[in-house]
Amino acid sequence: MRTATTVEFSSAGRDTATFVVEAEKLGLDVCWVAEAWGSDAPSALGYLAARTERILLGSGVLQVGVRSPVMVAQTAITLSNLSGGRFLLGLGASGPQVIEGLHGVSFGRPLGRIAETVDIVRQVCTGGKVSYSGRHFHIPLPGGEGVPMRLSTRPEHPIPVYLAALSPAMLRLTGRVADGWLGTSFVPEGAGDAYFSHLDDGLAAAGRRRADIDVCQGAEVAFAADEEELRGMVAGRRKELAFSLGGMGSASTNFYNRAYSRQGWADVAAEVRERWQRGDRDGAAALVTDDMVLATTLIGTEELVRARLAVWRDAGVNTVRMYPAGDTLEAKLRTLGRAIELVRET
């Protein structure tokens, strides 16, 4: 398996950049940069491209709907060329709370918007004049004064496209059109029905196989000295998971909640969301079980983490995206370094 991490630059930006530089020295293969509702990803990626030499750099993810498809292509080409071909284009729908609540753009029909965005990005990258007529995007704008144009720059290297996907429909789209799948809330024991069956349907529709796509899954990694420390770690993560189940999205649209529901925790996930939405955050966290935390993270003693990594590998994960625990930069790097070693040994 390849190793990866995800960072974001909303706070401690220079420390984050230092973390990535040092992670490259540890042998990390890929660094994804998130934007969510914080700092934008492309600015940080350009900075990291200048500070690093080998590591692959990806947008994890650019939010489709707040940038035009051609702007996405321009950004991807610029970052790929400046980094010497080290850029991976990660795209995602985000959710209505961010897209509508923050950007004031309709969240409607995200699947179609992403599909058409990928089509247009790939058309732009061929270097020809851009002409597209879809359900969501029309280039040039009909009835206006514009005519088809081509960019004055072209990609010097291939630009792999990754899609962040949790829902069955988005997974099928990922299988049809993407070079990689960015996943989360991943339980390897239940991934066949919850995720891979839909991904494989999309791959088959495009005449492709699982080997044609990079399965990149993410989870926090933390090492406990013993079972007592592990119990404390798990207890400390309950509220974080409750936020994902109850606060990541609107009252009716939460893709994380749905993902956990499909993997056997439908009743708990529904109750956590209900309590979180009415302000009972402690009550929501209390409903989260130890199994829910451990199943979707790489938290444990070194022996347990090693064993879980083998399970992830056997389930079909190609790239493991790790969020290392630690109160300081040095502590996070120690955790990441040991995790990279374990992946290499797996």
Side-chain angles (χ1 to χ4, degrees), residues 203-224:
L203 288 165
R208 302 201 297 163
R209 302 172 301 161
R210 188 83 65 80
D212 296 322
I213 196 166
D214 178 24
V215 175
C216 178
Q217 292 296 330
E220 181 184 8
V221 58
F223 295 106

Side-chain angles (χ1 to χ4, degrees), residues 21-245:
V21 170
E22 294 301 318
E24 181 180 51
K25 296 176 183 177
L26 292 172
L28 190 75
D29 297 306
V30 188
C31 179
W32 296 92
V33 178
E35 58 182 15
W37 52 91
S39 61
D40 76 293
S43 299
L45 284 161
Y47 183 71
L48 290 177
R51 294 283 307 273
T52 57
E53 297 178 357
R54 176 196 55 80
I55 196 170
L56 296 176
L57 300 168
S59 56
V61 294
L62 295 187
Q63 298 161 352
V64 171
V66 300
R67 297 175 176 88
S68 75
V70 173
M71 177 59 73
V72 171
Q74 288 176 289
T75 300
I77 292 170
T78 301
L79 288 168
S80 179
N81 289 352
L82 287 175
S83 66
R86 293 188 287 132
F87 178 67
L88 310 174
L89 176 59
L91 302 173
S94 188
Q97 184 58 47
V98 172
I99 300 302
E100 297 182 352
L102 184 62
H103 294 288
V105 176
S106 173
F107 183 69
R109 302 186 184 277
L111 185 74
R113 289 178 181 273
I114 287 182
E116 292 188 10
T117 295
V118 173
D119 285 344
I120 295 168
V121 166
R122 287 187 167 145
Q123 184 183 140
V124 171
C125 288
T126 65
K129 292 183 178 181
V130 183
S131 178
Y132 191 87
S133 181
R135 182 171 185 176
H136 306 283
F137 301 106
H138 299 273
I139 305 170
L141 186 68
E145 299 181 22
V147 297
M149 297 176 59
R150 62 169 56 89
L151 294 188
S152 60
T153 185
R154 294 188 181 186
E156 299 167 0
H157 312 273
I159 302 176
V161 175
Y162 285 65
L163 296 184
L166 285 173
S167 72
M170 196 66 77
L171 285 162
R172 288 191 289 271
L173 175 65
T174 301
R176 289 200 306 273
V177 306
D179 301 294
W181 167 35
L182 291 174
T184 187
S185 307
F186 182 77
V187 180
E189 292 84 356
D193 292 335
Y195 294 126
F196 283 123
S197 62
H198 311 295
L199 184 72
D200 289 341
D201 285 345
L203 288 165
R208 302 201 297 163
R209 302 172 301 161
R210 188 83 65 80
D212 296 322
I213 196 166
D214 178 24
V215 175
C216 178
Q217 292 296 330
E220 181 184 8
V221 58
F223 295 106
D226 51 38
E227 292 296 329
E228 182 178 354
E229 185 178 5
L230 176 57
R231 285 192 293 272
M233 284 183 173
V234 171
R237 270 72 176 178
R238 290 195 183 107
K239 198 157 193 176
E240 297 173 10
L241 181 49
F243 169 68
S244 294
L245 297 173

